[in-house]
Amino acid sequence: MKCALVTGGSRGIGRAICVRLAEMGYHIIINYKGNLEAANETLSLVRAKGSDGELLQFDVANKEEILQLLGGWVEANSEKYIEVLVNNAGIKDDGLMMWMKDAQWENVIDTSLGGFFYVTRIVLNSMLLKKYGRIINVVSLSGLKGLPGQVNYSAAKAGVIGATKALAQEVGRRGITVNAVAPGFIKTDMTEGLDEKELKSMIPVKRFGTAEEVAHAVGFLASPQAGYITAEVLSINGGLYS
Ligand code: NAP
């Protein structure tokens, strides 16, 4: 059975990616951190597309949990194969660096960059054996440009961009592509507190993007037809920065 694992699949961009990959016929493994209700809602949306899926709760910032729960899942499900991995789970915890606490730095780095490393390392093995795989990392405009107040978040996302390009070169000969999508301002819980009215005036297309627009690009990069695209960072930002 061909599966797609989406970290942070319970809400926002991750949920829309689960739905898009379900439309493409994948069995969806929906990872989430704590919001069971939202994760179940994603599962219902996946089923409404005629596909199926399952929930897999673990904290991507906790390498022991990843090893135990994702590693355990891989071991227990030898008939299932994760063909598509979307490293989407991410948090922000903004503040000027001068006043940034250790925990703000560590939590954001551990979730995006640590999560990428520990989750991907487990999933990579079967992709290498099958000589096929699609890895898509959800980064950010902040990781390309750097944004004040987001030294932690910009560093985490820039780290994932570097890792994307390096890993793509390691595994290209095995039929595995590794790409990133870099959203700008997308309407989700993460951007809820932002002043959309003011910010959208800076965006050439004059609006925030939708999670479905990001998911569409992820679906494209996950498709077999995108096999000659790797080590790429695709901006999805309404022209704000590229
Ligand atoms: P969101 O609405 O806040 O949703 C975050 C998702 O990540 C939830 O499903 C959450 O699970 C999960 N999550 C958070 N920490 C986790 C952890 N430690 N382990 C496992 N799952 C975890 O965020 P979003 O806006 O959809 O963002 C998704 C990704 O896009 C993030 O990587 C973010 O940095 C990136 N991004 C977003 C924007 C934007 O404008 N929204 C722009 C650029 C990049 P629970 O539901 O269980 O809490």
Side-chain angles (χ1 to χ4, degrees):
M1 187 190 279
K2 288 178 179 178
C3 302
L5 167 62
V6 182
T7 67
S10 48
R11 290 183 285 124
I13 292 171
R15 171 182 283 172
I17 292 170
C18 289
V19 172
R20 178 72 195 103
L21 294 175
E23 278 172 353
M24 292 166 68
Y26 282 102
H27 176 91
I28 312 294
I29 303 156
I30 303 161
N31 160 256
Y32 67 106
K33 185 180 179 189
N35 196 333
L36 175 63
E37 199 183 325
N40 268 319
E41 212 170 300
T42 301
L43 185 56
S44 302
L45 294 168
V46 161
R47 288 183 174 146
K49 292 291 174 189
S51 193
D52 203 359
E54 59 195 281
L55 306 185
L56 190 60
Q57 180 185 17
F58 59 85
D59 178 351
V60 300
N62 182 328
K63 63 179 172 182
E64 284 82 23
E65 250 184 52
I66 295 172
L67 197 63
Q68 195 187 336
L69 290 152
L70 178 58
W73 185 94
V74 169
E75 248 182 50
N77 289 277
S78 52
E79 78 292 356
K80 293 180 183 163
Y81 151 53
I82 299 175
E83 185 175 284
V84 175
L85 165 63
V86 185
N87 287 302
N88 164 77
I91 53 164
K92 68 181 174 83
D93 192 351
D94 298 351
L96 294 176
M97 178 155 160
M98 185 67 204
W99 290 286
M100 191 172 281
K101 305 265 187 294
D102 292 6
Q104 279 176 285
W105 171 258
E106 287 160 8
N107 291 343
V108 171
I109 298 281
D110 288 352
T111 304
S112 278
L113 190 54
F116 157 79
F117 179 75
Y118 293 108
V119 169
T120 306
R121 197 172 57 178
I122 288 181
V123 172
L124 200 54
N125 191 41
S126 56
M127 289 183 178
L128 288 167
L129 289 172
K130 297 264 185 188
K131 296 196 172 65
Y132 184 88
R134 296 279 181 267
I135 299 170
I136 298 123
N137 301 318
V138 181
V139 295
S140 172
L141 166 72
S142 182
L144 288 167
K145 183 182 181 288
L147 290 178
Q150 292 198 322
V151 163
N152 50 356
Y153 187 79
S154 296
K157 296 300 193 183
V160 176
I161 290 171
T164 300
K165 294 180 179 183
L167 181 61
Q169 293 171 68
E170 289 185 12
V171 298
R173 71 179 63 192
R174 295 293 195 109
I176 304 167
T177 64
V178 190
N179 291 290
V181 293
F185 292 109
I186 308 297
K187 259 183 201 272
T188 67
D189 294 347
M190 189 179 269
T191 51
E192 208 171 49
L194 300 182
D195 186 346
E196 185 177 342
K197 214 171 157 191
E198 192 194 310
L199 287 168
K200 72 182 182 187
S201 66
M202 300 174 348
I203 305 169
V205 305
K206 300 293 171 211
R207 63 174 176 86
F208 278 18
T210 66
E212 288 71 25
E213 286 171 316
V214 178
H216 184 74
V218 171
F220 165 65
L221 291 170
S223 68
Q225 293 83 351
Y228 206 57
I229 302 171
T230 196
E232 192 55 79
V233 183
L234 178 59
S235 285
I236 308 166
N237 60 28
L240 182 57
Y241 176 87
S242 53

